[in-house]
Amino acid sequence: MKKNFVIDWILVFVAVLSIISGFALHLLGEEGVNDFWHYVALFHILTNLVFLIAVILHVKAHWRWYKGLLKNGIHKKIKSSLILPVVFFPLAISGIVVFALEESGRGFGLWHYGFGIAMTILFVWHLLSHLSILRKSLEAKSVHQDSIDKYSI
């Protein structure tokens, strides 16, 4: 499997974990702050650090696509790919502010939750628009498998 697809699948997996833990935190609410809430919050933070690293690697892997976008214009580009960064940056910034100020249930916390809902919708849209490509990445033979097939009887 190509490195790009590995990064893509990591993004999918970590995004799902982030969405689940984010909604869990919202449902648990601040009134119920206890050890379990803190464990879920820690899981959410660590998951999103991995997500942020994977996003950076994803953008780096697709940098030619972004350069082509600036050079050639939008035309037939996938709209979900264009809207994702517009929502991702405020989501990430509000998440950092919420963490720094320990303000999950008010102000920035509510903004972060709203951006999280928008990002969840965009993630599903983006995933569905790329699903056939991701599915094909699972079907592709690895280089190792090709060499095994080559020498098998």
Side-chain angles (χ1 to χ4, degrees):
M1 186 182 300
K2 287 184 176 181
K3 184 174 137 183
N4 288 358
F5 291 128
V6 172
I7 294 168
D8 292 347
W9 279 109
I10 290 170
L11 273 171
V12 169
F13 180 71
V14 176
V16 169
L17 293 177
S18 174
I19 291 166
I20 291 169
S21 61
F23 282 119
L25 285 171
H26 183 73
L27 291 173
L28 290 170
E30 266 201 43
E31 291 78 30
V33 172
N34 54 30
D35 287 345
F36 181 70
W37 186 92
H38 286 287
Y39 293 136
V40 175
L42 179 63
F43 180 79
H44 187 67
I45 291 165
L46 294 175
T47 299
N48 283 293
L49 286 175
V50 173
F51 184 77
L52 184 60
I53 292 166
V55 165
I56 291 167
L57 294 173
H58 180 77
V59 169
K60 185 179 175 191
H62 297 290
W63 190 246
R64 285 195 311 187
W65 183 87
Y66 288 103
K67 283 174 64 175
L69 181 68
L70 294 173
K71 187 177 181 180
N72 303 324
I74 294 172
H75 304 295
K76 294 181 180 178
K77 303 292 182 186
I78 297 173
K79 289 177 180 49
S80 65
S81 299
L82 302 173
I83 299 171
L84 272 171
V86 174
V87 176
F88 176 75
F89 289 118
L91 176 67
I93 291 168
S94 64
I96 292 167
V97 170
V98 167
F99 175 72
L101 299 178
E102 295 183 13
E103 181 187 271
S104 58
R106 330 171 269 293
F108 277 104
L110 294 175
W111 278 99
H112 184 66
Y113 178 65
F115 284 122
I117 291 171
M119 190 68 180
T120 299
I121 294 166
L122 285 171
F123 165 73
V124 170
W125 178 24
H126 189 70
L127 182 64
L128 291 175
S129 65
H130 288 81
L131 200 54
S132 64
I133 296 169
L134 285 171
R135 205 177 290 140
K136 285 179 187 175
S137 74
L138 294 174
E139 296 168 2
K141 287 185 177 180
S142 67
V143 174
H144 178 68
Q145 184 63 42
D146 285 343
S147 63
I148 290 171
D149 290 347
K150 188 178 187 181
Y151 297 106
S152 63
I153 298 175

